[in-house]
Amino acid sequence: MPSWFSWWNWMKDIMIFLGLARKTIKIVFLGLDNAGKTTLFRMLKDNMMIQHTPTLHPDRDEFCLGGLTFLAVDVGGHEQARRLWRDYYWDIDGIVFIIDASDKERFREAKKELDGLLREQMTDKCPVLILGNKIDIPTAASEQQIKEYFNLNALVTGKNNEDLNDKNKTRSIDVFMCSILKKQGYGAGLRWLAEHL
Ligand SMILES: Nc1nc2c(ncn2[C@@H]2O[C@H](COP(=O)(O)OP(=O)(O)O)[C@@H](O)[C@H]2O)c(=O)[nH]1
Ligand SMILES: [Mg+2]
């Protein structure tokens, strides 16, 4: 029964293991507002049985478990948020960038943020998981459309990192489509990220 649930349990084990073994793991979740970060955090907290604490900042969420820190920040538009997550750059272990695949009108804005992120030298070795969210919405873009629009075909290293030997590819990066609302797809993505930390 390889459902999202068993994927997730496996994922949870490995994240906790990594968190404890390496002392601290910091994962940053970025994306435009409305991409789905807070919803994902709520689910992760539920799965990790962490109590929900109301966030004081509408554009920022954070929670810790053992040595694991998960931070989510809205990017785009306001300079304050950009500064905030820049403060976290220096010791980030992994990045999750969430795109609302159903909101094509904001792809341009999302691409600008993703391009800026991928150019950032301080995190240029960090694995990047790109989640194309809201695939439960019929008009959502497909994985191939996301890869094309965001110019990712030349960057992705494949689900098994098979392309990492390519000298143009210096970091693990891949796209997973998901519906956070329907609890589909993101477990596999997070598992991929945990394997490439
Ligand atoms: N249809 C659909 N809606 C989603 C999904 N994930 C999040 N949403 C909705 O998108 C809106 C913004 O989500 P939120 O988590 O607050 O985004 P954030 O600004 O990135 O934190 C909310 O109304 C969510 O219910 C999804 O997978 N499918
Ligand atoms: Mg939010």
Side-chain angles (χ1 to χ4, degrees):
M1 185 200 65
S3 64
W4 71 270
F5 189 70
S6 47
W7 276 112
W8 171 254
N9 276 333
W10 193 91
M11 165 68 206
K12 188 175 65 177
D13 291 346
I14 198 158
M15 291 296 261
I16 290 169
F17 169 73
L18 283 167
L20 296 175
R22 277 181 46 189
K23 268 200 178 140
T24 57
I25 298 277
K26 191 181 275 182
I27 312 283
V28 178
F29 294 71
L30 301 169
L32 300 183
D33 58 283
N34 209 49
K37 299 177 295 301
T38 300
T39 311
L40 178 58
F41 267 37
R42 218 169 280 144
M43 302 219 172
L44 295 177
K45 280 182 185 170
D46 279 347
N47 275 293
M48 291 176 171
M49 291 182 289
I50 298 174
Q51 254 183 323
H52 294 298
T53 40
T55 50
L56 299 173
H57 309 270
D59 56 356
R60 175 186 168 188
D61 282 298
E62 187 169 25
F63 71 90
C64 304
L65 179 71
L68 267 177
T69 300
F70 283 176
L71 172 78
V73 183
D74 291 351
V75 293
H78 40 117
E79 192 53 40
Q80 204 186 355
R82 203 164 291 147
R83 268 206 307 276
L84 171 84
W85 75 275
R86 251 166 228 279
D87 290 346
Y88 285 82
Y89 262 146
W90 62 279
D91 64 346
I92 289 175
D93 298 289
I95 297 170
V96 182
F97 191 90
I98 307 184
I99 297 166
D100 179 346
S102 75
D103 193 356
K104 294 173 189 161
E105 289 187 0
R106 293 187 78 193
F107 276 8
R108 212 178 121 100
E109 193 185 347
K111 183 175 188 301
K112 194 173 151 220
E113 294 301 325
L114 181 59
D115 287 348
L117 170 69
L118 295 176
R119 272 198 306 270
E120 191 60 54
Q121 284 188 355
M122 271 169 100
T123 49
D124 66 358
K125 299 283 183 289
C126 261
V128 181
L129 163 66
I130 296 166
L131 289 178
N133 188 29
K134 309 198 188 180
I135 54 166
D136 56 288
I137 296 175
T139 54
S142 67
E143 178 172 335
Q144 203 43 49
Q145 286 169 330
I146 294 269
K147 282 181 176 162
E148 270 163 33
Y149 188 91
F150 288 84
N151 252 333
L152 297 169
N153 280 314
L155 295 177
V156 292
T157 45
K159 303 282 183 271
N160 299 311
N161 250 4
E162 57 268 18
D163 295 343
L164 207 53
N165 294 329
D166 182 332
K167 65 176 175 7
N168 296 317
K169 299 181 180 183
T170 56
R171 68 180 349 165
S172 301
I173 167 165
D174 211 348
V175 180
F176 284 74
M177 301 305 286
C178 69
S179 166
I180 295 171
L181 211 61
K182 299 245 155 106
K183 301 184 175 169
Q184 287 166 356
Y186 65 83
L190 290 171
R191 177 184 159 178
W192 173 90
L193 183 68
E195 284 171 346
H196 296 106
L197 287 174

